[in-house]
Amino acid sequence: MVSITKYAKGLAAGAVLAVATLSTGTAQAADPIKFGVCYDLSKAYTFVTPQVVQGARDLATLMNMKGGIDGHPIELIVQDHGNEPQRGIECYEKLKREGVFIFDMLSTPVSLAVLPRVMNDKNILLQSLVGRGDAIDGDVFTQIFPIGPTYWGQAVNDIEYIRQQNNGSLKGVKVAFVYVDYPFGQEPIEILQSLAEKEGFELGLFPYPLPGSDQSSAWTQLRRFQPDAIISWSLSKMHVVASREMKRNGIPMEKYIAVNWLNETDIANIGPAEAKGLKRGTNVAGGQEVPIIKEIIAELYDKGKGNGDRATLNDVYYNTGVAIYSVAFEGARLAIEKNGWPLTAASMKEGLESIKDYDANGLFAPVTVTAQDHGGGGKTRIEMWDGEKWVPQTDWISAYNDRVWEVVRESSKSFKSE
């Protein structure tokens, strides 16, 4: 048996608008393990999907070179849904007819659209970093695996960091939440309000409209609020606009804590020097010093076998792609180890629910998935840009778990009653 822990430590899956990543080697002789990767490769999510796909392809290539998973090659079927729910449903139904039962949509609207079908069909939906936050409730969402921190988990971890920075107390602290006025941006509001009431901090809400290019009113109001800390739920170029508004309003960059969707391209667009002091919550370790990334570079890029631009390897979204699928591949390995071949949706579910303290050799915080908890622990850490690189400010943390699970269970009741 080829152990993912031994050969990859943190795995991935992906491709580009096409069928499979099947590399030369012993893995080609056996039946493949298919992953349906239905992504937005053309519209709203293109700031992240190319890097995630590249990381996924590279890891799949590396694994196939080393024998696949228990001798079975990884086959990645990637199609574009353009962030359109109906196209996502069409992708799901098409690939299902082709024998695929493990899917990933990397889009909240599309994940929401296909979720009832996946549940009804008893297939598997990987839903890391997108989709319903309450889907970590494995008792209700039996087929959905949002492994990694939800937006609720990220938000409360940011509050925990702010608490640590204020000598362990949030009494009287002013926290500004600036966000794009869209479901993605609105999602943490309820739990932030709940924590504000519990912990005694003052929460200010500062929305701005899509597409995020005009944030002037929000930042003018935020300046008057005079916050001690700022949590930002923004994407891509929205962070660049925010940095300009902060400069215009005389707000120190050190107060800004971004959601995980902020990468090295955004830093370059802000300006490395101007971005100094900016912070982000992150779900994965960035950079090229992570063992699996170093192995990909040595085995693929140094030998001219990489699946994209080498420059992309220094993008946290590339590492995110490797991380998302590391868990999926580990789940498949455990499933075959426990139940043998053929791999089925039922055995894949059991394999994913058997993952324990898995961190892909330092690629992300250790995750433990159970039949009840499909999230794996929800840990993040805060990193600060020092002008040249990201510097961790915390260990991996998972705070206010009781409150997060109260919100999760209350929300999942609505799905259970449908």
Side-chain angles (χ1 to χ4, degrees):
M1 175 178 294
V2 175
S3 167
I4 291 181
T5 305
K6 177 179 179 182
Y7 285 123
K9 311 281 186 179
L11 311 176
V16 213
L17 288 178
V19 209
T21 302
L22 289 179
S23 301
T24 58
T26 59
Q28 293 195 34
D31 292 335
I33 300 172
K34 297 181 179 181
F35 291 81
V37 186
C38 302
Y39 275 13
D40 173 13
L41 300 170
S42 58
K43 293 185 180 178
Y45 284 74
T46 55
F47 69 92
V48 61
T49 51
Q51 301 95 307
V52 171
V53 165
Q54 183 180 342
R57 293 185 71 198
D58 284 342
L59 190 53
T61 298
L62 181 66
M63 289 303 299
N64 285 340
M65 288 169 60
K66 294 178 177 292
I69 300 174
D70 195 37
H72 294 273
I74 300 160
E75 182 175 336
L76 309 173
I77 307 173
V78 179
Q79 296 188 4
D80 179 22
H81 58 52
N83 201 36
E84 298 175 20
Q86 185 55 42
R87 288 178 63 187
I89 290 171
E90 291 167 0
C91 182
Y92 172 76
E93 293 294 340
K94 176 180 179 293
L95 297 186
K96 184 178 72 173
R97 291 192 297 270
E98 296 175 7
V100 177
F101 53 82
I102 309 167
F103 294 87
D104 175 21
M105 302 293 163
L106 201 66
S107 158
T108 291
V110 177
S111 293
L112 294 177
V114 303
L115 186 150
R117 292 170 184 255
V118 173
M119 291 286 289
N120 185 63
D121 295 335
K122 302 294 185 185
N123 284 326
I124 301 294
L125 178 64
L126 307 175
Q127 195 203 260
S128 294
L129 310 180
V130 297
R132 293 184 66 134
D134 57 359
I136 65 173
D137 187 347
D139 287 331
V140 175
F141 297 94
T142 57
Q143 310 304 121
I144 315 302
F145 287 86
I147 299 172
T150 66
Y151 289 137
W152 298 338
Q154 287 192 55
V156 301
N157 290 347
D158 290 347
I159 294 296
E160 170 62 14
Y161 169 72
I162 296 168
R163 186 187 68 81
Q164 293 175 9
Q165 296 302 298
N166 286 274
N167 299 314
S169 175
L170 288 162
K171 300 291 185 184
V173 173
K174 300 176 78 171
V175 178
F177 180 61
V178 60
Y179 61 99
V180 58
D181 202 8
Y182 177 76
F184 153 74
Q186 298 159 357
E187 189 161 346
I189 292 175
E190 181 181 353
I191 200 162
L192 288 173
Q193 290 173 328
S194 172
L195 287 182
E197 182 177 349
K198 177 182 178 180
E199 297 291 339
F201 64 88
E202 184 178 353
L203 177 68
L205 302 179
F206 303 95
Y208 59 84
L210 283 172
S213 54
D214 183 3
Q215 301 179 24
S216 57
S217 177
W219 285 99
T220 297
Q221 294 175 56
L222 189 149
R223 181 194 68 215
R224 294 170 183 156
F225 180 64
Q226 296 185 325
D228 297 295
I230 301 166
I231 298 174
S232 171
W233 242 244
S234 304
L235 302 164
S236 190
K237 295 179 181 178
M238 298 176 191
H239 294 295
V240 181
V241 175
S243 70
R244 293 170 183 161
E245 289 296 333
M246 290 179 72
K247 184 176 182 179
R248 185 175 69 86
N249 284 279
I251 301 171
M253 188 64 73
E254 290 78 8
K255 294 186 177 185
Y256 192 87
I257 307 171
V259 70
N260 65 288
W261 300 121
L262 183 147
N263 72 337
E264 285 67 19
T265 297
D266 301 325
I267 291 295
N269 288 335
I270 293 170
E274 289 79 2
K276 185 177 181 180
L278 178 152
K279 301 178 184 70
R280 69 180 178 194
T282 186
N283 316 306
V284 302
Q288 299 181 5
E289 295 306 308
V290 182
I292 183 58
I293 305 301
K294 292 172 72 173
E295 185 175 5
I296 287 172
I297 292 171
E299 295 300 322
L300 299 185
Y301 286 85
D302 287 350
K303 298 177 181 180
K305 298 178 181 179
N307 290 285
D309 190 339
R310 188 172 183 136
T312 307
L313 303 182
N314 202 34
D315 190 314
V316 71
Y317 294 159
Y318 178 91
N319 290 23
T320 299
V322 176
I324 288 173
Y325 278 91
S326 70
V327 180
F329 289 5
E330 177 69 358
R333 186 186 71 81
L334 290 170
I336 297 172
E337 182 180 82
K338 286 174 172 288
N339 297 293
W341 189 263
L343 180 69
T344 66
S347 66
M348 183 67 181
K349 170 177 157 63
E350 184 178 350
L352 288 168
E353 291 174 346
S354 301
I355 294 172
K356 184 175 181 180
D357 293 329
Y358 182 69
D359 69 351
N361 200 20
L363 181 58
F364 46 81
V367 298
T368 295
V369 185
T370 67
Q372 291 73 42
D373 179 4
H374 282 188
K379 292 183 178 179
T380 62
R381 74 182 181 195
I382 304 298
E383 297 179 339
M384 182 184 73
W385 180 255
D386 71 355
E388 297 180 352
K389 62 185 182 301
W390 291 102
V391 180
Q393 302 297 293
T394 66
D395 292 329
W396 296 106
I397 56 176
S398 180
Y400 301 104
N401 287 306
D402 290 347
R403 182 59 191 131
V404 170
W405 274 98
E406 285 176 14
V407 175
V408 164
R409 292 192 176 102
E410 186 63 32
S411 178
S412 65
K413 284 180 185 177
S414 63
F415 181 84
K416 195 172 184 179
S417 64
E418 290 174 5

